Amino acid sequence: MATTLASIITLARERLIESTARFWSDAELLGHASLGVRDLWKAIKDTNQDYFLTIDETNVSLPANSLTLTGVPSDVAHIRAIEPRSTNSATVDVFFRPKNYTHPEFAQARRSAAVDPNGVTILYHAIGAGSPVGAPTIYVAPMITSALPLQLAYIPTIGTLTTASTNPIPGETDHAIVCWTVAWARAKEREDRSPDPEWLAAYATEKSNLIVSVTPRQEDEAKVVDAIFEQEWV
């Protein structure tokens, strides 16, 4: 069962030898724990094992005669794939391919007239800060003559956490978050206001071990790299 942040705060209080809030409030410890969660999120997502992969099959669309997608979720951090929501014959051959907005191919596609979406490759590029600042703007080209509902596969950021929230980081990470919380909580009682180095070192060890333990996510087949033009081999 996933651990709540309230339980992690209780564990942190045991290490701080303060079972009842006096010097550190629960809100203060929650703030530290939330930052620890976000630090681990950055490390886990960079393993590219899709622990946080989310697929939106409801909101995203490409309107007719438009150079931008609509309905992009506000929590999009990294885009994994864009595909037509329907698999009917009119959209099955539509492909979305990432390309820099300023690339000559993208520039040429932007200047093109709208085309029928069937069988077309659509270039896309996300700009803007993205989550948590706000939803990125996803530009596409060429434009198409009819609206196309889409599904967006992406990695979301971590939302607002409360004491009732469960630890969203996989890989048995409760102890790592406790170490982070204690390290930064003890900065309050240190003259230099820096995190406790021993607890921070313990967190670093837990984080390093975590990255090893969550990669790879499957082991039923050997991990190999596709060769260039391998699909053309005979």
Side-chain angles (χ1 to χ4, degrees):
M1 179 180 292
T3 307
T4 64
L5 292 190
S7 297
I8 288 177
I9 289 172
T10 297
L11 292 172
R13 286 196 177 282
E14 290 178 3
R15 277 66 173 179
L16 293 167
I17 316 177
E18 186 185 69
S19 57
T20 302
R22 292 187 302 275
F23 190 59
W24 294 280
S25 68
D26 280 352
E28 189 176 1
L29 296 181
L30 174 63
H32 294 315
S34 296
L35 291 176
V37 166
R38 284 165 170 75
D39 189 70
L40 291 176
W41 170 83
K42 288 185 288 187
I44 293 290
K45 74 176 178 60
D46 286 346
T47 64
N48 296 316
Q49 299 299 308
D50 289 336
Y51 282 95
F52 304 109
L53 184 67
T54 298
I55 301 176
D56 185 307
E57 299 176 308
T58 305
N59 301 298
V60 185
S61 295
L62 173 54
N65 303 300
S66 175
L67 288 172
T68 58
L69 303 187
T70 61
V72 178
S74 61
D75 61 347
V76 172
H78 299 277
I79 297 170
R80 284 283 189 262
I82 302 175
E83 298 176 328
R85 198 181 306 168
S86 172
T87 56
N88 63 38
S89 58
T91 61
V92 71
D93 290 329
V94 178
F95 298 96
F96 284 79
R97 184 162 61 95
K99 183 73 69 173
N100 285 341
Y101 183 85
T102 55
H103 191 282
E105 287 184 29
F106 207 131
Q108 182 178 11
R110 290 198 309 273
R111 293 193 294 265
S112 300
V115 299
D116 185 287
N118 189 28
V120 70
T121 294
I122 299 175
L123 307 178
Y124 75 88
H125 185 70
I127 69 170
S131 184
V133 178
T137 299
I138 303 177
Y139 279 88
V140 298
M143 296 183 295
I144 56 177
T145 55
S146 58
L148 182 62
L150 302 172
Q151 65 177 23
L152 176 67
Y154 69 98
I155 303 299
T157 51
I158 301 294
T160 301
L161 299 172
T162 68
T163 54
S165 301
T166 56
N167 175 10
I169 308 299
E172 301 289 347
T173 56
D174 293 352
H175 184 55
I177 299 172
V178 168
C179 290
W180 172 285
T181 302
V182 174
W184 283 96
R186 293 206 61 191
K188 185 178 179 180
E189 61 182 3
R190 292 171 57 87
E191 185 175 351
D192 60 1
R193 294 296 187 265
S194 61
D196 184 281
E198 293 185 3
W199 280 101
L200 206 57
Y203 169 77
T205 298
E206 287 289 317
K207 181 179 178 180
S208 178
N209 291 339
L210 170 66
I211 300 307
V212 173
S213 70
V214 298
T215 308
R217 195 169 188 181
Q218 61 80 26
E219 296 178 340
D220 59 331
E221 292 186 7
K223 188 174 182 179
V224 297
V225 177
D226 294 334
I228 297 177
F229 304 126
E230 183 175 348
Q231 68 273 17
E232 304 297 330
W233 293 0
V234 293

